[in-house]
Amino acid sequence: MGIANRRGASRAKLMALACGALLSVSAQAAEPIRIGISTFLSGAGAVFGVPAQHAAQMLADSINASGGINGAPVELTFIDENRGVDSVVVEYRGLVEGNKVDAMIIGLSSSICLAVAPVAEQLQMPTVLWDCGTARLYEENQYQYVYRTGDYTPSNNVAAALYLLKTHPEVKTIAAINQDYAFGRDNWAAFKDAVKAIRPDITISAELFPRLGTSDYSTEISRLSAQRPDVIFTTLWGGDMNTFVRQANSRSLFKNTILVSPNGEAALQQTGAAFPDNAIVGVRGDSYAFSPVMKDNPEHAKFVQDFYAKTGAYPSFPSYHMVQALQAIQASLQDWNGERSTLKTDLLAGLEGLELNDFTGHLVLREDNQAMEGQLIGTTRSSPDHEFKVIGDIAIIQPALTSPPAGELSQEWIKKLTQDAVQNVQLLP
């Protein structure tokens, strides 16, 4: 190559670098896509909410490092749900009416989701519900602006019932301990109705409803110990679940009783050796850091590694639920042309009927805006690699077995379950 040609190549290279730099500056200078997020940042729910916040920020940082969404960076604003329903609604209105957000991600708590959903419709704000599980949301109303990207109460409780009856057909008695508010009572009703529909011979020996935030479960543990049921069912969560497990372990409550907890995976790392072996636990969906289905997925492996490096723990299902919500917004805007005037309408159009391959499975938003996904559930066991229990003997139960069709009341559909559903549950090899 002659000197002139080398100089021409150098000029071309410099021009290419300059263009790349201009594109990078342009992307960085683009007006951000502003997303408001509510989660528990304090109080007992923070054991779920803060890791979910970390997951949201990690994904937003990753999106921005890759050039944003069609050149627009993502900017997050967080609301603390521990301040109460009324406060969250006021802050939601403030962000929306102040034109400070383009979309909202709402709701670790079902009460928050139920309160915010009608406000979202009134204000015409695209709103994604990331974790709340109440079936009432879409059974009592229809929404144009509100989508739920996580699973809900019927799915994970029916999955727990099917798995229990598949793996322990000898069960004869079940007792329950759940928090005394809608979440605890609704989850127990779904599980109990599913069990009784399939096995009406099973006896319910106790139904306990301690108040939310209980610090001493000695009375409840004494009653459960006296009952000696084959199974103890619970959807206690956050600090309540951790306290109950530790106190129950110190009194050997689970020595001869199977613990069934559809949302128990979130407590495994936090309770360590105190969590019993041979408990049946779910992840409220199909997302699990050690899922054998995703063991060769490099994107999932990177997320798990990065999350551990940032937090010192592995992601549990609330963190995955948050990621699903953000990924849904990102995927829904893939055809957005970058014009601010069309952002919200394009986002809503993208959410309609969205199919999303997330870190651990396939998610579909059906016609009532409720996500459908598989339910990963299994049995706890000790691991030589970790100081906490992991999930083995895993089944991933498809939504057709665990969820009523859109428009059908879950409590009526659950009562029609038969033994055929149990037979269709298959454990992974």
Side-chain angles (χ1 to χ4, degrees), residues 54-238:
H54 290 319
Q57 194 62 61
M58 281 176 54
L59 182 55
D61 291 344
S62 176
I63 291 171
N64 292 341
S66 301
I69 298 176
N70 291 346
V74 174
E75 180 180 283
L76 306 181
T77 299
F78 292 95
I79 298 172
D80 188 357
E81 291 189 26
N82 193 48
R83 295 172 184 165
V85 174
D86 292 343
S87 177
V88 172
V89 171
V90 168
E91 292 191 68
Y92 179 96
R93 280 189 175 275
L95 288 174
V96 175
E97 293 175 336
N99 196 31
K100 298 176 181 177
V101 291
D102 302 299
M104 293 292 293
I105 295 176
I106 291 292
L108 194 159
S109 164
S110 288
S111 59
I112 298 291
C113 291
L114 289 170
V116 166
V119 179
E121 289 294 294
Q122 176 192 1
L123 300 180
Q124 299 183 356
M125 171 55 59
T127 299
V128 176
L129 309 181
W130 68 275
D131 188 71
C132 61
T134 176
R136 291 174 50 198
L137 188 77
Y138 295 116
E139 291 185 350
E140 297 180 357
N141 295 283
Q142 294 180 338
Y143 294 103
Q144 181 180 353
Y145 294 89
V146 180
Y147 292 80
R148 178 157 53 191
T149 52
D151 82 325
Y152 69 137
T153 296
S155 300
N156 49 292
N157 289 284
V158 170
L162 297 181
Y163 185 93
L164 169 66
L165 299 179
K166 176 77 172 186
T167 56
H168 296 279
E170 74 283 359
V171 165
K172 295 180 180 179
T173 58
I174 298 176
I177 175 169
N178 297 280
Q179 291 150 323
D180 190 13
Y181 76 119
F183 180 81
R185 290 184 177 273
D186 290 350
N187 278 277
W188 168 234
F191 177 83
K192 179 175 67 173
D193 287 349
V195 168
K196 295 296 284 185
I198 299 168
R199 287 278 309 279
D201 59 300
I202 288 178
T203 298
I204 305 302
S205 61
E207 299 175 271
L208 309 181
F209 293 99
R211 63 176 175 80
L212 189 66
T214 294
S215 60
D216 183 0
Y217 290 94
S218 57
T219 300
E220 289 82 5
I221 291 170
S222 294
R223 289 187 61 185
L224 292 170
S225 296
Q227 291 284 338
R228 296 186 179 181
D230 297 325
V231 169
I232 293 175
F233 173 89
T234 187
T235 53
L236 295 175
W237 63 276

Side-chain angles (χ1 to χ4, degrees), residues 273-332:
F275 205 97
D277 283 316
N278 303 313
I280 294 172
V281 299
V283 301
R284 289 196 56 207
D286 59 7
S287 302
Y288 178 47
F290 310 109
S291 171
V293 176
M294 288 290 116
K295 64 180 181 180
D296 297 321
N297 183 309
E299 186 181 15
H300 178 245
K302 184 178 187 307
F303 171 72
V304 172
Q305 292 165 3
D306 291 349
F307 190 92
Y308 187 87
K310 181 179 181 66
T311 69
Y314 297 97
S316 62
F317 74 79
S319 298
Y320 283 104
H321 281 183
M322 183 65 79
V323 167
Q324 285 174 324
L326 265 176
Q327 285 181 325
I329 290 176
Q330 180 185 19
S332 297

